[in-house]
Amino acid sequence: MGFSLIDVHAHLQDEQFAKDLPEVIARIGTEGPSVLINTGTDIPTSLEAARLAEKNPNFWGLAGVHPHDSKSWTESSAAQLEKILGHAKIVGLGEIGLDFHYDFSERNVQMRVFALQWELALRLEVPVVVHVRKAFDEFFGIVQEYGAPKKVMLHCFSGDMEIAKKALNLGFHFSVGGALTFRKSEETREVFKFLPVDRIHIETDCPYLAPEPFRGRRCEPHFIVHTFRRLCQERNCPPEILGPRLVQNARDFFSPKLKIEELP
Ligand SMILES: [Zn+2]
């Protein structure tokens, strides 16, 4: 493509990639992201994010316990996360949050585990990546009660314009994935047209939420180009301007360490 793209949120540790991960990584090629951040959903996948980043110069990682996995939280989880956050290639806490759409963990457990990790982010002053689905009132309630870390990213942002404005005023960042390309995502497109360019990020959330024309298939990192092109089109911004801008946004948000290494 001639310039760099980033995927700020992938899950290459997912079991859906267990059989062919080397092929998936090879397919990233020149059309896919040059920088990729694998996101933890529990302690083992957070450790795996660090391991994948050790093996691949342009991979980075996040460590956190997903709302779906809140039920896996134990007394030692916070200490384990803190240790993983000390890894040189782990650049933030994530993903954490509240998901009242699927309710895979009980809501009171989700609230407790989210609050504990939110406190951890505040104490350690690390960037935090949040998953909120159908629970924005509860999320903003915790923000009000505890305050917010300096760097908060709402990944796969699914809120409406009113929620976007509220989060924008709090200084939060926003990430969009395949949903940007879905026919019914008019509101998401409106939001990502409206947001200032320095607050937006792009992701695949692979293996989930493949963009059109691959909707329903296992998502892979190189599919990012379809979401990226749609974002350029919606914002009326040339790809060679927006691509590097999104890499810079991620560096500003996570760490200046997110340099692109020339691969042999
Ligand atoms: Zn995710």
Side-chain angles (χ1 to χ4, degrees):
M1 202 172 316
F3 55 85
S4 305
L5 268 186
I6 186 159
D7 181 353
V8 297
H9 195 113
H11 299 280
L12 291 179
Q13 323 90 306
D14 194 278
E15 58 189 21
Q16 291 188 47
F17 294 117
K19 284 207 182 105
D20 63 344
L21 186 59
E23 288 90 332
V24 171
I25 292 174
R27 275 197 290 275
I28 293 176
T30 50
E31 281 277 284
S34 322
V35 191
L36 182 145
I37 302 176
N38 282 309
T39 306
T41 52
D42 57 12
I43 301 294
T45 53
S46 297
L47 287 166
E48 188 59 17
R51 210 185 60 85
L52 283 169
E54 283 169 10
K55 292 207 306 194
N56 300 274
N58 296 329
F59 286 9
W60 302 82
L62 301 175
V65 175
H66 192 286
H68 291 341
D69 297 289
S70 300
K71 50 187 176 306
S72 75
W73 187 267
T74 68
E75 264 174 44
S76 64
S77 295
Q80 283 175 288
L81 282 180
E82 188 168 347
K83 190 168 169 223
I84 305 169
L85 284 162
H87 188 286
K89 293 205 80 180
I90 294 290
V91 290
L93 183 66
E95 58 185 295
I96 70 172
L98 301 169
D99 192 317
F100 292 180
H101 177 70
Y102 285 111
D103 284 321
F104 286 158
S105 286
E106 274 179 48
R107 291 184 181 183
N108 60 341
V109 177
Q110 290 191 41
M111 292 285 282
R112 190 175 75 86
V113 170
F114 175 63
L116 286 168
Q117 294 183 95
W118 191 254
E119 282 183 300
L120 188 65
L122 281 162
R123 180 164 65 79
L124 301 176
E125 296 183 346
V126 288
V128 57
V129 173
V130 187
H131 167 119
V132 184
R133 191 140 182 225
K134 295 202 174 148
F136 279 103
D137 287 344
E138 290 78 3
F139 168 66
F140 285 122
I142 287 176
V143 172
Q144 199 163 25
E145 189 180 341
Y146 293 83
K150 273 201 202 80
K151 291 176 175 172
V152 177
M153 181 186 293
L154 300 171
H155 110 90
C156 274
F157 181 70
S158 61
D160 59 19
M161 190 61 96
E162 195 187 330
I163 295 170
K165 285 180 177 167
K166 192 168 173 178
L168 187 66
N169 287 334
L170 287 163
F172 296 173
H173 288 235
F174 303 79
S175 169
V176 70
L180 188 76
T181 67
F182 299 168
R183 195 169 55 85
K184 287 187 177 157
S185 300
E186 257 333 305
E187 184 137 47
T188 301
R189 284 188 282 275
E190 284 306 312
V191 165
F192 280 87
K193 249 191 273 192
F194 157 79
L195 291 169
V197 73
D198 61 347
R199 295 285 192 91
I200 57 175
H201 301 266
I202 193 169
E203 65 172 280
T204 56
D205 202 18
C206 65
Y208 310 105
L209 290 167
E212 296 290 0
F214 303 118
R215 191 171 183 184
R217 275 177 52 181
R218 179 184 71 171
C219 187
E220 293 192 20
H222 68 284
F223 293 178
I224 193 114
V225 71
H226 297 276
T227 306
F228 172 65
R229 286 199 187 118
R230 186 66 187 258
L231 189 63
C232 292
Q233 193 187 322
E234 294 296 332
R235 294 186 65 95
N236 202 8
C237 186
E240 62 278 16
I241 303 286
L242 192 56
R245 175 77 239 182
L246 294 172
V247 177
Q248 188 58 46
N249 285 354
R251 265 188 212 139
D252 294 344
F253 184 84
F254 289 108
S255 164
K257 288 195 292 193
L258 298 180
K259 283 200 305 288
I260 299 156
E261 302 282 341
E262 286 302 323
L263 295 174

